[in-house]
Amino acid sequence: MARFTSLHRRALIRGSASAGLLGLGGCVAVSAPAAPGSSIAQGAAPGGRPLPHPPIWPLRASMDRVFDITVCLRPFRAQGPRIEAETIGDALVVHNYGHGGSGWSLSWGSGTVALRKAMVGSPKEIAVVGCGALGLTSAILAQEAGAKVTIYAKDLLPDARSARATGSWTPDSRIALTSAAAPAFADLWEEMARISFKRYRRYLGLPGTPVEWRDHYTLIDDQPPAGPRAPNPQRLEFASYGDLLADIAPGDEELPPGATPFPVRRVVRSSQLQFNVTDYAHTLMADFLAGGGRVERREFRELSELAALPQKVVINCPGYGARALCRDESVTPVRGQIAWLIPQPEVDYGVYYRRVSMLSRRDGIVVQALWGGDVMGYGDDHEVIDRTEAKTAVDALASLFGRMQG
Ligand SMILES: Cc1cc2nc3c(=O)[nH]c(=O)nc-3n(C[C@H](O)[C@H](O)[C@H](O)COP(=O)(O)OP(=O)(O)OC[C@H]3O[C@@H](n4cnc5c(N)ncnc54)[C@H](O)[C@@H]3O)c2cc1C
């Protein structure tokens, strides 16, 4: 089986390695999946011959199985997240926002960097603004460092925007622009990604499966993207750092024709770390409260209000809310939408096909349109459902799995 580097796979996914690569390989045989309980479903063909691949159960993709459509804004900054200290009145405020499409993935590392700045004077009490991915992880890290922590937030998870994320390990997804990120940011990014990756191990194998590894298939044929590509008049190039983690990222492999029932010409398999956000967020909140943390619902209108808090060290994690709270116009919205299909526990994998992404989580099957590439949704702050986008994505998967069934 051909091995792929992460760089190679990124090129495939972004479409930049189009004709030449896509022209390789033969047609994949289409075979119907076996019924549950049959010998094929248990991993052996009728003659006892081992199957080359575990059974792949089809997704039931149809709009009548969509139980929710959610929209969210990625808090993107061209130069990368803002993790820096500022003195406001007599308070030390450490900002920790602007993580684009990588907030969950980088949260533990970013929180660690922010906490270092917050602990300079060894404060006994710390306030955290925000209860999304960044706020909650920063708060837990501050507790672990020995501080008494209070979270102040307008919305708590699951109402905070972080709850509407895909839930995959994507540490350099829309994290910065190549043209705007300082050269030193690559080192900082690597440190944050490695810390986070290691920390996620603690959540593997827990009841509720907050974090797990799953197979993921990139499916390639001659079909165009399922929807229109987004124009890129500003020629935005998003920074890519994945190769810095080559030693810890699992490789990709191209499967031989006929190894899977997917009706496409080429299939590339990888392993993906994913967050089942409902359970993961619940686990984090429970850990924070069990550690003696306090939560207060509160909305701040001005940064100066942070100086009036009883805690004199504040870690500020307002996500996209930083645009208004910190008057920081470098925070750019990047809209993203998810159509949620009813969970199918037997579908224990994800796919990427015609620029539609499907991730099977315990709390729902995430279907996402990515046909405009990374620039899709850039500068768009409309947190409004686009049903046509959802239907086009679900229909693309329906056609794929319809052909797979027969
Ligand atoms: C469709 C989509 C898919 C994504 N998929 C992934 C993925 O698979 N993996 C990944 O790593 N990342 C993903 N992301 C990115 C990730 O969701 C974000 O980077 C992350 O949620 C940002 O977290 P946050 O804590 O900074 O912000 P938020 O979750 O928005 O939290 C901000 C908190 O601050 C509070 N707040 C804001 N302003 C104020 C104020 N003025 N006063 C008081 N409280 C305030 C809010 O109420 C909230 O509690 C995705 C994003 C989108 C849109």
Side-chain angles (χ1 to χ4, degrees), residues 128-346:
V128 172
V129 173
C131 193
L134 276 298
L136 209 37
T137 50
S138 298
I140 291 171
L141 288 166
Q143 282 181 327
E144 289 173 359
K148 199 171 152 198
V149 183
T150 303
I151 291 179
Y152 299 90
K154 182 159 73 75
D155 297 309
L156 312 180
L157 279 168
D159 295 320
R161 286 193 174 96
S162 292
R164 288 170 250 151
T166 312
S168 47
W169 164 256
T170 53
D172 67 345
S173 165
R174 297 172 176 100
I175 190 64
L177 290 183
T178 311
S179 56
F185 179 65
D187 290 343
L188 176 66
W189 177 87
E190 184 179 349
E191 183 191 9
M192 295 192 295
R194 284 183 186 275
I195 292 171
S196 291
F197 189 75
K198 193 157 190 184
R199 178 79 186 210
Y200 275 117
R201 279 199 226 147
R202 295 194 193 183
Y203 299 92
L204 290 167
L206 291 181
T209 326
V211 176
E212 66 186 319
W213 285 98
R214 293 253 187 165
D215 281 347
H216 188 271
Y217 301 93
T218 299
L219 307 178
I220 302 160
D221 61 14
D222 297 323
Q223 297 296 313
R229 286 172 195 257
N232 186 0
Q234 301 170 67
R235 303 219 174 280
L236 301 175
E237 193 191 320
F238 290 85
S240 159
Y241 302 108
D243 286 346
L244 296 174
L245 303 181
D247 58 315
I248 56 170
D252 301 344
E253 56 186 343
E254 176 146 10
L255 300 177
T260 72
F262 292 119
V264 294
R265 195 143 44 79
R266 295 179 58 197
V267 177
V268 177
R269 181 177 60 187
S270 59
S271 295
Q272 197 170 63
L273 189 66
Q274 76 179 48
F275 322 124
N276 295 304
V277 174
T278 306
D279 191 79
Y280 179 48
H282 191 262
T283 302
L284 294 183
M285 191 59 127
D287 286 354
F288 175 68
L289 295 173
R294 281 189 55 244
V295 177
E296 198 175 311
R297 294 290 282 264
R298 177 152 170 197
E299 180 169 5
F300 301 96
R301 304 275 171 201
E302 303 279 344
L303 264 186
S304 58
E305 292 171 39
L306 305 188
L309 291 171
Q311 300 84 359
K312 290 299 146 204
V313 176
V314 183
I315 304 179
N316 183 36
C317 312
Y320 183 70
R323 200 177 153 95
L325 179 62
C326 309
R327 313 262 187 277
D328 184 347
E329 298 210 345
S330 71
V331 181
T332 304
V334 184
R335 179 189 177 281
Q337 174 175 294
I338 289 172
W340 296 88
L341 288 170
I342 296 169
Q344 284 180 252
E346 75 280 14

